[in-house]
Amino acid sequence: MDLTKVKKQPVLTALLIIITLIPLLIFGVSQRDKPAPNPPPPETTVEAQPVEPKGIAAIKNHTVSAGETLSTIAEAYSIDVDTILGANPDIDETLQPGDKLAILPQKGVLHTVDMGDTLWRISNMYSIDIQAILSANNKNSDGLAIGEKIFVPGGKLIARSDLPSVPVSRSAVSRVMWPTDGEFTSGFGRRWGRLHAGIDIANDVGTPITAALSGRVTYAGWYGGYGYTLMIEHNNGYTTLYGHLASFTVGVGQYVKSGQKIGLMGNTGYSTGPHLHFEVHKDGNPINPMNVLP
Ligand SMILES: [Zn+2]
């Protein structure tokens, strides 16, 4: 650019500055909400499509402002801290401004329907009447879909570790592989009195995610706070779950081999930075992945 020419034309200079600033204003602001925007994945063959949670229209999204804590947010919405924790499976201990939280309409638990769940089982799990659950979710039939979110009014968080534990046979899953590379940032176990049902491995958006064990893809889609999620069913009652993905390279029904690329690491759902949330389930209950990983 010829600067001497520009100097002689102050109007043109101002225009140039404004044109330069427009993208900064737009992208600068939106990036504060999404710390790591996902670049277009290079090898996507299956496009993930967000699925709106059914039945519960009253769930609000809350973006954390500086100085807010779980207690002040709970108070502002007349709910309790457990209700916030129950609806946001993967928030970090220290809330950061810009974190997004799902806010339930009243005290209770947002239950994400897992394989094998029925209304009867959910009703028993939380000791809440089936009718109360049906009316809170505007449902009149008892058909449930995996990944569907059911609001359990008055329900209290239960740790899955309180359920009968399942003995882990190492030989049955001897071929388990780590599903990605990165920094181990969070383990399986109780976090603020509830169960973190998996482990977190952090790396850049776009880091390849591979199947931990060979099996059949049973779920590929939006899974509430887990964002874009894949589930793979294996032999002997094992299922693995891969959360917060940027994209998938496999689809439901597809058979995958242990170590095969299935997607890319992302920051989708209620996630505070790019990472993989990895769960291993045995007969429907989460177990510590470290017990089966090499
Ligand atoms: Zn996690």
Side-chain angles (χ1 to χ4, degrees):
M1 189 197 310
D2 186 348
L3 282 172
T4 51
K5 231 176 214 171
V6 174
K7 258 183 197 165
K8 284 174 194 159
Q9 299 175 31
V11 178
L12 187 62
T13 313
L15 260 175
L16 276 172
I17 291 169
I18 288 165
I19 287 164
T20 317
L21 281 176
I22 283 169
L24 273 177
L25 284 169
I26 294 168
F27 294 116
V29 169
S30 68
Q31 273 180 2
R32 218 170 293 153
D33 290 333
K34 281 188 177 176
N38 303 336
E43 290 174 43
T44 311
T45 54
V46 177
E47 275 295 324
Q49 292 296 331
V51 178
E52 287 297 317
K54 288 178 203 160
I56 340 147
I59 295 181
K60 295 178 198 133
N61 280 305
H62 178 87
T63 305
V64 176
S65 313
E68 281 188 321
T69 65
L70 283 170
S71 337
T72 62
I73 296 166
E75 203 177 326
Y77 289 96
S78 305
I79 51 175
D80 53 20
V81 169
D82 270 357
T83 300
I84 298 181
L85 293 178
N88 298 276
D90 233 3
I91 48 172
D92 277 344
E93 193 157 351
T94 352
L95 288 180
Q96 299 296 326
D99 284 358
K100 295 219 166 77
L101 298 176
I103 302 292
L104 300 185
Q106 61 182 96
K107 282 181 193 177
V109 166
L110 196 59
H111 178 89
T112 304
V113 175
D114 206 343
M115 228 169 287
D117 276 351
T118 60
L119 271 175
W120 182 84
R121 190 178 167 190
I122 295 168
S123 160
N124 269 312
M125 208 183 273
Y126 297 97
S127 302
I128 301 292
D129 188 60
I130 285 186
Q131 205 49 53
I133 298 174
L134 282 175
S135 54
N137 294 278
N138 300 318
K139 281 178 85 80
N140 46 24
S141 78
D142 58 357
L144 295 178
I146 289 178
E148 183 180 353
K149 289 188 167 298
I150 296 291
F151 178 57
V152 184
K156 287 241 186 308
L157 277 177
I158 45 154
R160 294 255 181 168
S161 58
D162 293 342
L163 299 171
S165 66
V166 185
V168 176
S169 153
R170 206 171 247 281
S171 62
V173 285
S174 55
R175 292 172 313 273
V176 173
M177 297 172 64
W178 283 82
T180 192
D181 290 324
E183 190 192 338
F184 187 94
T185 53
S186 186
F188 178 93
R190 283 182 175 275
R191 207 157 70 172
W192 322 328
R194 78 204 165 100
L195 186 70
H196 182 234
I199 58 172
D200 294 338
I201 304 164
N203 206 331
D204 297 330
V205 168
T207 303
I209 306 294
T210 53
L213 192 63
S214 49
R216 190 175 64 96
V217 178
T218 53
Y219 188 85
W222 191 260
Y223 195 57
Y226 289 81
Y228 293 125
T229 298
L230 281 172
M231 292 181 206
I232 303 175
E233 197 176 51
H234 314 283
N235 289 334
N236 302 311
Y238 285 93
T239 301
T240 50
L241 177 151
Y242 311 77
H244 306 309
L245 301 180
S247 63
F248 311 134
T249 51
V250 293
V252 171
Q254 191 173 334
Y255 283 87
V256 292
K257 285 186 176 150
S258 164
Q260 182 181 334
K261 185 174 169 188
I262 54 174
L264 298 175
M265 188 179 289
N267 191 22
T268 55
Y270 298 106
S271 167
T272 51
H275 76 282
L276 171 71
H277 174 87
F278 176 64
E279 293 185 8
V280 179
H281 293 220
K282 166 72 175 161
D283 298 327
N285 294 316
I287 61 167
N288 189 343
M290 301 308 280
N291 290 343
V292 293
L293 283 167

